[in-house]
Structures are given as C-alpha cells and as structure tokens.
Amino acid sequence: DDPTHDNIHTLLKEKRKCLIKGKPGSGKTSLACGIGYKFIKENPKNLVLYLTADVRSSCSQWLSQIQRGDYPYVLYIIDNCHNAIDAVNELIGRWYRIKNAKVLLISRSINPDLAGPSEVNYLRILEDDKCLINSDISVETIRQIVKLYVPYREAKEKKIGDTKKILEKCQGDLHLLNYYIKAWLKND
C-alpha cells in the first residue's frame, strides 16, 4: 500500500472529495485511475465514472449526472479541472447538494489567483478543507525509475545513454520518461 493512495482513500471516505494536483506528466491521471481501480476492487458493486473537463463543461450537467448517481458506491473522477475553472468552482460551491457520491478532481498546478476569488476558488477551498494531494514527481523518483532499466539494458549489452541528460530533460515529467522507455524497448 502507498501512503498517497491511502490518504486519497481516507479523504474520499471521510470528506467525499479530493483534488490531485501537479505538473503536466506528474502522474495525476495514472494515480486517479489507480484509485478508481482500487475502489472497484474493494467491492464489485462500486462504480467509477470518468469525466474530462474542458471549456464546454457545465456544472449543471455534472450536478445532474452526479445527483442521478448519488450513491455511496459511486466515485466520479473529473480530469483536467484546470480547463473548466468556473464549472469546477461552481461544482464545489454546490457540493452540499450531493449526499453520498464521491468526487476525485484532477488539475494541473496553476496559480490559485487564476481560479477566481477565494470564496469560490476550488484550489483554495479544497486546500483549506485539507482535501488536496500534490502528485509532483521528483527528479529523484525519475532517477530511480531510470536505474531500474539500466541492468535490463546492460543484460542485453545495450547502453541506456547519458542518464544525466535524460534526467535534465525529464525534470519530473513522466510523459517524457515514458517516451525514452518506449524508445529503449523498441530498440531491443
């Protein structure tokens, strides 16, 4: 068990809402998918619904859907909240209408001032409610992942390349690291 997973599950159980935020490529969506998988695995009756926020997203549409599925065994994952700030702010402001369902929001780290005034700002509200998890990946984590591939590549008598340059380029971005890993595996 991972402490981050455990923290998110506790927040969802106790507060029924949680925000995962981090830089692009920091593993936010993968983390949320893992949480959803664990939620379903806990009880086959549990249901996870995945929504993607964009500029056309509407709080009214989300609320309507969530109210129809307002059961304790339902988890809504809303990804890319930074693309629909007003809708997410409104959803959090009206969350009191939802009595049972849980919501896991995913957002890039953005300047909180861009998310509106404090009283309606989902970033500040969820941080104040202690419902926020940062998922930023450190360079050290990337280094550890790369180290896992070194023996594998060396066993095939192939070099991984200049790991220092790879770490500089990735800078905590799992998308870039995934690109390098796929290239290494493709060359095998």
Side-chain angles (χ1 to χ4, degrees), residues 161-176:
D162 186 348
T163 55
K164 193 173 182 178
K165 282 186 181 178
I166 292 167
L167 294 172
E168 285 174 17
K169 288 182 181 182
C170 289
Q171 293 185 6
D173 187 328
L174 291 177
H175 293 297
L176 284 174

Side-chain angles (χ1 to χ4, degrees), residues 11 14-15 17-18 92 95 121-132:
L11 287 171
E14 294 175 1
K15 300 191 179 201
K17 60 188 179 208
C18 180
I92 294 304
W95 189 248
N121 182 316
Y122 76 95
L123 294 169
R124 289 202 170 110
I125 290 170
L126 293 171
E127 186 169 14
D128 290 348
D129 287 350
K130 309 269 187 282
C131 295
L132 180 113

